[in-house]
Amino acid sequence: MYTKLWLDYETEDSGASVVFDELNPEDGKIRNALKELKRCSFLKDKTVRLRMIRDESLREEGYHIYGNDPEYTVEAASETGILYGAFRLISLIRLGFYEVREVPANGLRMLNHWDNMDGSIERGYSGNSFFFEDNKLIINQRTEDYARFLSSVGINGVVINNVNVKGEACRLIDERHLPQVNQLAELFSSYGVKLFLSLNYAATMEDEHVGSADPLDPGVRLWWERKFDEVYEKVPKLGGFLVKADSEGRPGPFTYGRTQAEGANMLARALKKHGGILIWRCFVYNCQQDWRDLKTDRARAAYDYFHDLDGCFDDNVVLQIKNGPMDFQVREPVSPLFGQMPRTNQMIEFQIAQEYTGQQRHVCFLIPWFKQVLEFDTYAKGKNPGESRVKDIVSGRTFDYRISGICAVSNTGNDENWTGHDLAAANLYGFGRLAFDPELSAEKISAEWIRLTYGDNEKVLRNLQKILMMSFAAYEKYNAPLGIGWMVTPSVHYGPDPDGYEYSSWGTYHKADCRAIGVERNASGTGYAGLYPEPNASMYENPETTPEELLLFFHRLPYSYVLKSGKTIIQHIYDTHFEGAEDVERMAELFGELRGLIDGKAFDRIEKRLAHQLWHSKEWRDVINSYFYRKTLIEDEKGRKLY
Ligand code: GCU
């Protein structure tokens, strides 16, 4: 059995009386809305009217909910709006009802699963896949519950297979799997969620009559046209495809001397008549770099490959850009591509799978960090505030994108609690809520999640919220310092190893020696800082104006450099690492006070993970601090133990 997370209400048929108004009770989404309202025993004496209205301002997915106990009305202009509204009404009643009129800010609100068909999950930290096992698709009650979770927070798209498409996953678009893919697409669709698949760009290579993946080869184009005709005949509700090309060993158009746009458009054109969209990732960089080559800067790669192609992509292509220029490190600047391709659809990719943020063994509530990214002003439209923050760009507002939005690499698996760490479910819930409404605060989102999951006990709310809200900052403190990133154990990406990626081929260097640390990315270095529009370029150009949490990302500085706090860099490193571990101690204490107040099994699971996190944060502290102490031989001013 598995937990039902924030939808853990009784399932007997005892909920609300539901009245239909101007809608078809046979529609799948309406039936699911009804089913959900009937599940909630706390709606027993209440009446809910579901009403379809003509109101363009509510668009496809908005709703208006009003009423007074015991009668409530959900109005929407589509079945999807009614379903989202029904879920929203349920949580509003549980949290304290007030009237709302809500329309999602972002068109695409997606989760990307990195699930493989053998059942493993790339960077999965919560068990195996619940989509695949033994090279087959799984569809069962768990799949439906997952669709309910997504729908309840307004997530409207899901990619079920890994971007690295290997083995049997290359055949997901073949006849043998399509009937089940269709079943899944129908199931998700009845919850307002579109199904997408990751695609092997070089699939045509395996057809001996084609034998190429050159996007300009007519044989290749014809092959994809026929393939998509077949796929859409069997799976008419498929949303489209996600492609990782020319990246980390995945094939792509570069092999044929073609651009990323030529590659993407070839697929997009074959999809067009089916209404499908093509999500093309910008995670393209040279992973065979020589660390001795001081000119190449991985941070520049996506910009250098894509920026000049603005306007060259078809209108059913959307570029999926990781939030930062490297790879989901705990702190990175915002990718300079945001705001600088006004004629090309863009969406942002976050990662709630905690690959570099504690792998769901550490509590690390990511919503405060995502908010910082979304609030970042790119100044793409000049200095007018509020026109071109990342959230304005990815919502499509700034440049009137046809397709845009937010996605995250999912953190779920078939563990009993879905997310490995019980508290990691806050990232799943939080991501959905934030994608729907980026104006929500991290405090509000965390409070909602805690109350919906653990009930209304004040102490539970207070302590869990403190833990969540301090967790990201704590993690950053005991991790690599000042935006430098990458001090993790190679390949597993868990635990400290300061030089683990230093002499590797992945373009991930901090260049610490006995005098200085950091990468010069201003005009005297790799020029990366200059990729941003003003005033950001100038801000990053000088250490004095660079936000200090990113100081070593942009600048190479001596350990004696004095920060705004009056501390030297080396003292800052020592202090933050001691503080980070102390913060985790505090988190464990706060949690300990909840014994008896939350379900025993869940309590034990969380307590165990916090104990591990506490040990591991000390490991991080001591390894990082000792590394810098040994490099510099500078003593800690406070005389604490260094090794
Ligand atoms: C990271 C991650 C890989 C993943 C890649 C991607 O590098 O470690 O496992 O495939 O990101 O986003 O494609």
Side-chain angles (χ1 to χ4, degrees):
M1 250 335 265
Y2 47 85
T3 55
K4 297 281 171 91
L5 301 180
W6 59 89
L7 299 185
D8 200 0
Y9 27 74
E10 283 169 48
T11 51
E12 81 230 45
D13 199 4
S14 61
S17 321
V18 180
V19 182
F20 295 113
D21 210 346
E22 299 289 321
L23 45 77
N24 171 12
E26 290 311 310
D27 178 89
K29 289 172 195 147
I30 302 303
R31 267 191 282 139
N32 284 333
L34 176 67
K35 207 154 95 185
E36 208 62 36
L37 291 163
K38 288 282 182 197
R39 275 195 161 110
C40 306
S41 50
F42 54 86
L43 296 184
K44 203 167 176 181
D45 305 316
K46 310 197 191 298
T47 303
V48 178
R49 180 180 293 274
L50 303 177
R51 178 187 289 147
M52 189 81 97
I53 56 164
R54 273 214 198 99
D55 180 346
E56 277 176 20
S57 69
L58 289 175
R59 289 188 268 157
E60 254 304 288
E61 301 173 305
Y63 45 76
H64 179 199
I65 307 175
Y66 57 91
N68 281 307
D69 193 47
E71 283 186 29
Y72 300 93
T73 301
V74 177
E75 289 179 348
S78 75
E79 285 81 8
T80 309
I82 296 279
L83 175 65
Y84 287 166
F87 272 115
R88 185 75 172 115
L89 172 67
I90 291 169
S91 58
L92 278 171
I93 290 180
R94 296 174 72 199
L95 295 166
F97 183 81
Y98 54 95
E99 179 174 344
V100 297
R101 188 188 172 82
E102 293 169 336
V103 179
N106 293 291
L108 291 174
R109 306 176 302 279
M110 303 186 79
L111 283 173
N112 292 0
H113 286 262
W114 287 357
D115 294 23
N116 300 313
M117 285 197 72
D118 63 4
S120 63
I121 302 180
E122 178 148 347
R123 313 301 177 188
Y125 311 108
S126 44
N128 278 339
S129 174
F130 50 80
F131 286 119
F132 305 108
E133 192 178 32
D134 294 336
N135 292 325
K136 293 192 198 75
L137 276 133
I138 308 170
I139 304 173
N140 55 26
Q141 185 54 47
R142 187 162 189 147
T143 330
E144 179 158 2
D145 280 329
Y146 189 60
R148 291 173 60 220
F149 294 144
L150 303 195
S151 192
S152 73
V153 289
I155 288 172
N156 68 356
V158 64
V159 185
I160 55 169
N161 64 311
N162 191 355
V163 285
N164 298 314
V165 185
K166 290 171 286 188
E168 188 65 18
C170 300
R171 300 212 164 89
L172 255 182
I173 49 174
D174 289 353
E175 212 179 330
R176 72 174 105 150
H177 293 300
L178 288 178
Q180 277 200 294
V181 171
N182 186 48
Q183 216 184 318
L184 207 56
E186 292 289 335
L187 171 66
F188 274 111
S189 165
S190 72
Y191 280 97
V193 182
K194 273 204 171 131
L195 184 78
F196 290 75
L197 298 176
S198 293
L199 207 61
N200 169 20
Y201 179 80
T204 46
M205 299 285 293
E206 282 170 39
D207 186 322
E208 58 186 36
H209 304 295
V210 185
S212 159
D214 180 352
L216 301 192
D217 179 332
V220 172
R221 284 149 84 158
L222 190 64
W223 191 93
W224 280 114
E225 274 167 32
R226 288 194 180 137
K227 180 45 85 181
F228 291 151
D229 287 348
E230 178 194 348
V231 171
Y232 274 89
E233 199 200 317
K234 305 255 165 59
V235 194
K237 291 194 180 142
L238 192 70
F241 295 93
L242 169 66
V243 181
K244 170 178 179 177
D246 287 312
S247 172
E248 301 186 331
R250 306 309 302 156
F254 283 167
T255 316
Y256 301 90
R258 311 298 183 197
T259 66
Q260 296 294 300
E262 285 167 327
N265 291 344
M266 181 272 291
L267 292 168
R269 279 169 204 167
L271 270 175
K272 180 92 178 174
K273 70 170 174 205
H274 305 290
I277 66 167
L278 202 262
I279 306 172
W280 189 265
R281 291 178 94 219
C282 293
F283 187 56
V284 179
Y285 70 100
N286 174 11
C287 64
Q288 300 295 325
Q289 205 181 311
D290 183 342
W291 58 269
R292 299 165 194 85
D293 161 17
L294 302 178
K295 293 225 173 62
T296 306
D297 180 2
R298 170 169 167 183
R300 293 189 60 114
Y303 185 95
D304 288 344
Y305 288 129
F306 284 90
H307 178 257
D308 289 349
L309 296 174
D310 186 29
C312 299
F313 291 88
D314 283 12
D315 69 352
N316 60 332
V317 178
V318 55
L319 297 185
Q320 181 167 303
I321 305 167
K322 286 193 180 182
N323 61 270
M326 299 299 272
D327 189 8
F328 302 135
Q329 300 303 292
V330 64
R331 176 73 61 172
E332 291 185 38
V334 159
S335 167
L337 276 177
F338 291 115
Q340 300 211 68
M341 297 185 73
R343 293 176 299 144
T344 308
N345 299 323
Q346 295 189 335
M347 66 189 292
I348 191 167
E349 178 178 354
F350 288 111
Q351 192 188 44
I352 55 173
Q354 292 171 232
E355 177 176 359
Y356 294 98
T357 49
Q359 305 201 347
Q360 289 146 245
R361 297 171 81 190
H362 294 222
V363 190
C364 190
F365 182 52
L366 293 163
I367 304 307
W369 163 228
F370 296 171
K371 279 200 67 86
Q372 284 181 38
V373 172
L374 292 171
E375 291 297 329
F376 179 80
D377 203 334
T378 68
Y379 295 105
K381 275 216 161 167
K383 280 203 172 179
N384 295 340
E387 285 194 357
S388 45
R389 290 158 301 189
V390 172
K391 68 180 178 190
D392 306 313
I393 288 158
V394 300
S395 71
R397 276 199 302 271
T398 309
F399 300 119
D400 242 343
Y401 288 151
R402 192 178 151 246
I403 311 170
S404 62
I406 301 194
C407 74
V409 180
S410 185
N411 62 353
T412 50
N414 68 0
D415 274 357
E416 182 184 336
N417 64 359
W418 299 83
T419 52
H421 203 309
D422 287 56
L423 301 185
N427 285 327
L428 182 64
Y429 178 89
F431 168 74
R433 294 286 287 138
L434 190 67
F436 197 94
D437 181 2
E439 305 307 321
L440 291 172
S441 70
E443 287 81 359
K444 180 160 167 48
I445 291 173
S446 57
E448 279 179 17
W449 175 77
I450 294 164
R451 291 180 56 202
L452 294 174
T453 307
Y454 296 106
D456 283 331
N457 183 295
E458 272 305 314
K459 188 162 178 80
V460 172
L461 173 62
R462 209 170 40 236
N463 287 21
L464 284 183
Q465 195 175 30
K466 272 191 202 148
I467 293 170
L468 290 178
M469 291 306 296
M470 69 193 287
S471 62
F472 177 80
Y475 190 84
E476 184 174 14
K477 284 185 208 170
Y478 57 80
N479 211 268
L482 298 168
I484 197 73
W486 296 109
M487 292 193 162
V488 287
T489 307
S491 89
V492 293
H493 299 169
Y494 194 66
D497 186 350
D499 279 336
Y501 272 115
E502 193 53 19
Y503 305 100
S504 74
S505 65
W506 299 92
T508 47
Y509 317 116
H510 56 68
K511 299 181 180 162
D513 63 19
C514 65
R515 290 183 198 90
I517 176 170
V519 182
E520 205 56 87
R521 288 193 160 103
N522 60 12
S524 65
T526 70
Y528 171 84
L531 302 181
Y532 292 87
E534 291 295 358
N536 290 339
S538 298
M539 171 176 77
Y540 290 137
E541 187 62 24
N542 299 306
E544 291 73 33
T545 50
T546 300
E548 285 188 341
E549 66 273 13
L550 287 168
L551 196 57
L552 300 179
F553 184 93
F554 282 100
H555 301 285
R556 178 165 182 77
L557 293 166
Y559 297 101
S560 57
Y561 180 90
V562 179
L563 300 172
K564 295 192 181 76
S565 61
K567 291 179 188 178
T568 58
I569 284 182
I570 190 74
Q571 193 56 41
H572 172 88
I573 293 176
Y574 294 151
D575 285 353
T576 47
H577 284 75
F578 280 104
E579 272 167 40
E582 282 158 21
D583 288 353
V584 180
E585 213 152 333
R586 177 78 191 120
M587 283 154 60
E589 263 166 37
L590 285 165
F591 188 73
E593 292 170 15
L594 303 182
R595 184 183 296 281
L597 297 179
I598 59 182
D599 166 72
K601 262 174 76 184
F603 182 89
D604 291 347
R605 282 196 299 256
I606 300 173
E607 191 183 41
K608 260 199 205 111
R609 293 208 175 207
L610 275 165
H612 168 77
Q613 182 174 1
L614 182 55
W615 167 79
H616 206 221
S617 65
K618 291 179 182 164
E619 186 73 2
W620 268 98
R621 174 194 71 192
D622 291 340
V623 171
I624 300 287
N625 280 349
S626 302
Y627 175 83
F628 286 108
Y629 177 58
R630 291 174 189 184
K631 279 248 142 112
T632 63
L633 290 179
I634 300 173
E635 300 289 341
D636 171 31
E637 278 171 4
K638 296 179 186 151
R640 288 161 295 195
K641 180 90 182 148
L642 303 172
Y643 299 85

